[in-house]
Amino acid sequence: LKVLEKIHVLPYEDTFKYNFIHMYHEHIVPYFQTAQVGEFSQGFEFTHDGVRFQVVGVQPENAYGVAGQDTEIFYEGPAIKRKVLERLQMIPFEDGLPERYRPTKLSLDEAALLRDYLKPYFEQRSAEVAPGQALTIEGVKFKVVSCRPSEGGGVGKHTEIVCQGVALRETFKPPTRPKATARPKAQATPEDGESK
C-alpha cells in the first residue's frame, strides 16, 4: 500500500466537538490508527464516534494511499457546512430484497432494515439525499420517498430514519390473464315441425 505524505482532514460542522485539538487527538488520530480500511484519496469521508470528517486534500495530489506513521495530518480550517435532515423515509424495491425483510407482501421489517442497511450506510456518508433519489446499499435498491426539509439534505445523528410501507416495484406489470379461447359457433338446429 502507498503511504500518503500529507492529508488535510476537516470535520462537518454539525458534528464538531469542542475544538480542533480535541478533534485531532480524540477522533482523527484514533481513526487512522485503528479503523482505517484500504486506500483513500481526496473526498473520502469517515466517521469516528459519531463525528464526521472529509479528507479535503492529499499529497501527492490526487493520489490514493493510506495514512501511515510518517503521514502529516493537517486538521484546521473551516468546518464543512451541510443541511441536516430532521426526518428521512426510504423504501426498498422488491427486486433483490431478501424475503426475511418482508414478513408479508404488504409489510416490511423496519427494525431489521434500519439495523442491517440504512443506519450502517448513513453512519459513513455525509452526502445529501433528496426525494425521488435511489440508492443501492449492499445490493438492495432503496428510494428516498420523503424527507424534512423537503428539498433534501444530509443524515445526521439526530435524523429520524423511517422505513415503513410496502416494497416498491421497478415497473408495474398488470397481472396476466389467460387469453380467452374462441368458442365454437353454435349451429342452428331445425325447429320442430320444419323439414330437414
Side-chain angles (χ1 to χ4, degrees):
L1 294 175
K2 180 178 181 156
V3 177
L4 297 168
E5 296 169 23
K6 298 177 182 179
I7 62 173
H8 189 181
V9 178
L10 291 176
Y12 279 87
E13 185 179 63
D14 60 287
T15 61
F16 188 86
K17 290 183 180 176
Y18 308 117
N19 59 47
F20 285 105
I21 293 170
H22 171 82
M23 300 290 275
Y24 177 76
H25 290 291
E26 297 299 320
H27 298 286
I28 297 171
V29 170
Y31 173 81
F32 286 115
Q33 288 180 344
T34 63
Q36 176 179 207
V37 178
E39 294 182 321
F40 62 89
S41 189
Q42 184 173 331
F44 174 69
E45 295 183 354
F46 64 94
T47 301
H48 185 265
D49 278 346
V51 180
R52 295 174 185 266
F53 297 90
Q54 185 180 84
V55 176
V56 295
V58 297
Q59 196 171 23
E61 196 172 327
N62 298 321
Y64 279 83
V66 296
Q69 289 181 329
D70 296 330
T71 302
E72 281 185 75
I73 301 174
F74 296 89
Y75 55 90
E76 291 189 0
I80 300 168
K81 295 181 182 200
R82 68 184 182 131
K83 187 179 297 181
V84 178
L85 296 173
E86 296 171 29
R87 186 174 195 275
L88 171 66
Q89 181 172 6
M90 298 188 72
I91 302 285
F93 285 87
E94 279 183 351
D95 293 341
L97 179 65
E99 284 299 316
R100 69 178 173 268
Y101 296 103
R102 294 176 64 196
T104 69
K105 294 285 183 191
L106 298 176
S107 68
L108 295 169
D109 185 345
E110 180 184 30
L113 288 165
L114 291 172
R115 178 192 66 233
D116 297 345
Y117 291 95
L118 300 176
K119 286 187 177 180
Y121 179 83
F122 285 112
E123 282 175 0
Q124 294 299 323
R125 287 171 184 76
S126 300
E128 293 188 358
V129 295
Q133 184 177 352
L135 303 170
T136 301
I137 304 170
E138 299 291 324
V140 176
K141 189 173 178 181
F142 289 83
K143 183 175 184 176
V144 177
V145 178
S146 68
C147 54
R148 189 172 49 232
S150 60
E151 64 272 7
V155 174
K157 65 181 181 177
H158 298 296
T159 301
E160 176 190 11
I161 304 174
V162 179
C163 189
Q164 298 172 343
V166 178
L168 303 171
R169 288 188 177 179
E170 235 7 276
T171 57
F172 179 74
K173 296 177 187 168
T176 56
R177 294 185 178 141
K179 289 188 176 184
T181 55
R183 293 184 185 178
K185 290 186 177 180
Q187 295 193 0
T189 57
E191 291 193 25
D192 292 337
E194 289 186 14
S195 61
K196 291 187 182 181

